[in-house]
Amino acid sequence: MIMYTRYKTGLLAGLLLLAVSCKKFLEVKPVDTLSGAEFWQNKNDAEKAINGAYRLLLEKFLESTLYNTGDFRPGWWNWFDKRNLAAMGRNDLLGSDLGSSDGSDRPRNWTQFYRAIAAANLCIDRIPGIADPSFSERERKALVAEARFLRAFIYFYMVRLYGDVPLQLNPYDTEIKARAGMLTVLDTCLQDLRNSQQDLPVSYDDPTFRAVRGTRGAALTLMAHMYMWKAGFEPAKRQECWQQAAALGQQVMDLGVYQLLPYTKEDFQTIFKGRSLEGIFELSLDINYGVEFHSLIAQWVLHEPIIHSSGNLYGGFGSEITPKREWLDKIYPAGESDKRFDIWFDDPYSTKNPQSAMYLKFSSVSNPNTRDYDANFILFRYADLILLRAEALAYLGQDAPAIALLNMIRDRAGARVYSGGGGQALQDAIFLERAKELWGEGHLWYDLVRTGRVMDRNQCENFLTTEQFQRRAWTWPIDMGAVRNNPMIIQNEFWSR
């Protein structure tokens, strides 16, 4: 097994095996065209290397249920026979049920994240030295900034999964490393992004790059998320973090390149297919390039006539998991209109049979027989950014602009506008709006953790006690291979039993 923090030049060249061309974002290229003395010669090589780093990250998401762990760990689902998802929903991340299907135990292993980081590190190191007269200084800086953005995003994702992680920035450093404190990791990435985000393009001329390549808006959104995470774990700097997040959110909005698209039965799937005007950052899935995915929420919350039901549940008309009535009543109060409830759900309370409810938000199914899906992994979108900024403003006591932002989201959904006061009531309303708007996009668990609501049994079915939280039960256990291969790696306290 490769030691996770050892990176050698030969290994890094080999990591570009999955690199892709700049025009065909998911076209796999053979290793001998991407490594060796003939590589790193021109702009095209640099584009291939950047795309290869994206592809390595995509491979991490394709191997398991990683994308939706943030939706499943809080609970609020009827799990029925899905033992692996039920294990997530009771925080049983070491038992045998978790790995019983769908690769649900693989988020414990951070190897692939570090492979993608290694590729990004190599891009940062090698692209500036490419001697190609047609490769302008502006283009070089943009690609290096994109690699820095991608590296920062991976570290942010890892911090939310594992807490402290080894920080590797030098592609040739072969020293094993202990885990760096998560706030140190985030501060390092924030400084990196502050220094490079201006080099990123606001948008791309090529529409196939929309949202699936790093942009200034994506970097600013990532920074806002980092500050909101820091606010939850660095009490002395909360005010500063909220101020930074609010200001970064304003910068994204001022770019003028993102829109809230209409929620209609005819059009809403455009958003969740990907590359829409609402998308800020996504990982690209496209059946046209042979990339589709099985272990996504769509597989378990849909049935005939959209996909073939697993095991012919109720004659094909049963979903494998369904939302609990208690949760639906919490985010969609009875008697209040909301387009999202109308268009994202079919028979939400399972009146036709015990498992007939469907959650239609992600229903862009590429193959109903194999239950595969080829729409993008939506990581950041405009509605998320608007609500994140509203949250920061609410914590700062700037109630009027916070309410205005909250009502932008509610108005788009045809929901009752918020007319209450500020303080805790407004903060709670924004949290629930994020839970409603972003459910199925992997945010809920992390929102619960960073706000401390994960310790409130009324807001999190799989709640943690204060003692469990402090011992980092909110993290994932680190794969024992990393612990065995690197004596400086110490398991998260809660999982070291």
Side-chain angles (χ1 to χ4, degrees):
M1 181 178 296
I2 297 168
M3 191 172 295
Y4 303 119
T5 54
R6 290 186 187 270
Y7 300 108
K8 298 183 180 180
T9 306
L11 170 62
L12 293 179
L15 290 179
L16 294 177
L17 171 63
L18 294 175
V20 293
S21 71
C22 60
K23 289 298 181 183
K24 294 186 176 179
F25 193 74
L26 294 173
E27 181 183 348
V28 177
K29 294 291 185 182
V31 65
D32 59 359
T33 68
L34 302 174
S35 59
E38 295 183 359
F39 200 61
W40 303 108
Q41 297 299 307
N42 51 49
K43 176 182 175 181
N44 190 47
D45 288 348
E47 288 275 5
K48 288 177 181 177
I50 287 288
N51 291 342
Y54 280 107
R55 177 58 192 249
L56 288 164
L57 177 59
L58 175 63
E59 287 295 323
K60 180 59 184 174
F61 281 82
L62 291 176
E63 72 181 17
S64 72
T65 54
L66 174 65
Y67 179 72
N68 288 122
T69 59
D71 303 301
F72 296 148
R73 286 190 72 179
W76 303 123
W77 295 90
N78 298 305
W79 303 114
F80 302 109
D81 294 330
K82 288 300 293 181
R83 292 164 45 214
N84 59 321
L85 304 185
M88 260 189 269
R90 62 175 183 270
N91 217 32
D92 179 12
L93 304 185
L94 289 175
S96 59
D97 281 352
L98 183 68
S100 61
S101 63
D102 307 307
S104 294
D105 57 343
R106 292 178 188 166
R108 297 190 302 226
N109 190 321
W110 61 28
T111 305
Q112 188 67 17
F113 283 127
Y114 278 107
R115 287 176 176 151
I117 287 170
N121 284 341
L122 194 60
C123 289
I124 293 165
D125 179 75
R126 298 296 296 273
I127 288 175
I130 293 177
D132 177 358
S134 67
F135 195 12
S136 71
E137 184 67 16
R138 180 185 61 80
E139 290 171 325
R140 292 172 205 270
K141 286 184 175 181
L143 287 180
V144 170
E146 190 172 2
R148 293 184 185 278
F149 160 74
L150 186 61
R151 181 175 69 182
F153 174 80
I154 298 168
Y155 274 123
F156 171 65
Y157 214 93
M158 291 178 68
V159 157
R160 297 191 304 172
L161 290 171
Y162 312 112
D164 305 337
V165 296
L167 185 59
Q168 181 70 35
L169 304 176
N170 185 337
Y172 310 110
D173 185 357
T174 62
E175 295 296 319
I176 62 173
K177 288 179 168 54
R179 298 166 69 191
M182 67 175 179
L183 296 178
T184 297
V185 173
L186 293 180
D187 284 339
T188 300
C189 292
L190 281 164
Q191 184 60 47
D192 211 16
L193 291 168
R194 275 193 291 271
N195 292 337
S196 60
Q197 55 89 10
Q198 284 289 341
D199 293 329
L200 285 164
V202 172
S203 60
Y204 292 91
D205 293 334
D206 188 336
T208 66
F209 285 3
R210 183 173 186 89
V212 299
R213 293 286 299 266
T215 60
R216 194 175 306 166
L220 295 171
T221 300
L222 173 58
M223 293 172 71
H225 270 282
M226 287 179 168
Y227 276 114
M228 293 303 282
W229 187 266
K230 277 168 54 69
F233 290 92
E234 204 167 12
K237 294 186 177 180
R238 278 179 180 165
Q239 287 287 322
E240 176 190 342
C241 289
W242 293 329
Q243 289 168 356
Q244 291 283 356
L248 288 160
Q250 183 65 63
Q251 289 181 55
V252 176
M253 297 179 75
D254 289 344
L255 292 174
V257 294
Y258 306 110
Q259 297 178 21
L260 292 178
L261 299 181
Y263 275 158
T264 66
K265 287 185 178 180
E266 296 75 25
D267 298 329
F268 84 90
Q269 287 189 4
T270 301
I271 299 169
F272 303 108
K273 175 70 174 174
R275 291 185 174 90
S276 78
L277 291 172
E278 192 159 333
I280 295 178
F281 183 54
E282 307 164 2
L283 288 178
S284 178
L285 289 176
D286 194 329
I287 193 173
N288 293 321
Y289 299 125
V291 183
E292 52 189 349
F293 188 50
H294 192 64
S295 296
L296 190 84
I297 192 171
Q299 179 191 176
W300 307 299
V301 299
L302 300 173
H303 55 67
E304 298 284 5
I306 298 174
I307 63 171
H308 289 320
S309 177
S310 176
N312 200 34
L313 287 167
Y314 297 95
F317 291 91
S319 299
E320 291 188 78
I321 64 173
T322 61
K324 286 192 171 180
R325 176 72 181 255
E326 181 182 358
W327 174 246
L328 291 179
D329 289 346
K330 184 183 296 288
I331 59 176
Y332 294 104
E336 294 189 10
S337 62
D338 196 308
K339 292 178 183 177
R340 292 166 294 193
F341 188 71
D342 297 335
I343 65 178
W344 289 353
F345 292 89
D346 181 76
D347 193 23
Y349 305 122
S350 294
T351 61
K352 299 173 184 175
N353 67 59
Q355 294 176 231
S356 59
M358 286 198 290
Y359 186 46
L360 302 169
K361 188 178 191 181
F362 294 94
S363 49
S364 181
V365 176
S366 56
N367 190 327
N369 295 316
T370 59
R371 297 152 61 84
D372 282 322
Y373 177 88
D374 81 332
N376 293 350
F377 290 112
I378 310 294
L379 299 168
F380 298 145
R381 63 182 174 96
Y382 196 39
D384 158 38
L385 182 280
I386 289 171
L387 288 171
L388 198 71
R389 181 168 176 249
E391 181 185 343
L393 290 170
Y395 283 130
L396 291 167
Q398 298 182 35
D399 297 340
I403 291 171
L405 291 169
L406 170 60
N407 283 334
M408 283 177 63
I409 304 302
R410 291 194 170 188
D411 184 65
R412 192 257 296 261
R416 177 179 56 84
V417 298
Y418 180 82
S419 57
Q424 190 65 51
L426 177 58
Q427 294 163 21
D428 289 345
I430 294 170
F431 174 82
L432 282 177
E433 196 66 25
R434 282 185 62 83
K436 184 192 313 186
E437 177 70 25
L438 303 174
W439 200 38
E441 299 173 57
H443 288 271
L444 181 56
W445 179 255
Y446 309 116
D447 283 356
L448 287 162
V449 169
R450 65 176 177 78
T451 62
R453 288 177 168 86
V454 74
M455 292 175 281
D456 183 345
R457 69 179 64 213
N458 294 315
Q459 301 189 65
C460 182
E461 184 181 33
N462 179 27
F463 71 94
L464 304 178
T465 66
T466 301
E467 183 266 344
Q468 289 172 331
F469 184 85
Q470 292 171 345
R471 294 177 61 221
R472 295 205 168 175
W474 55 267
T475 64
W476 276 79
I478 298 166
D479 184 83
M480 288 307 297
V483 178
R484 285 192 297 266
N485 284 307
N486 182 349
M488 300 178 73
I489 297 295
I490 299 173
Q491 181 65 269
N492 283 317
E493 183 183 358
F494 182 80
W495 303 110
S496 60
R497 38 197 162 107

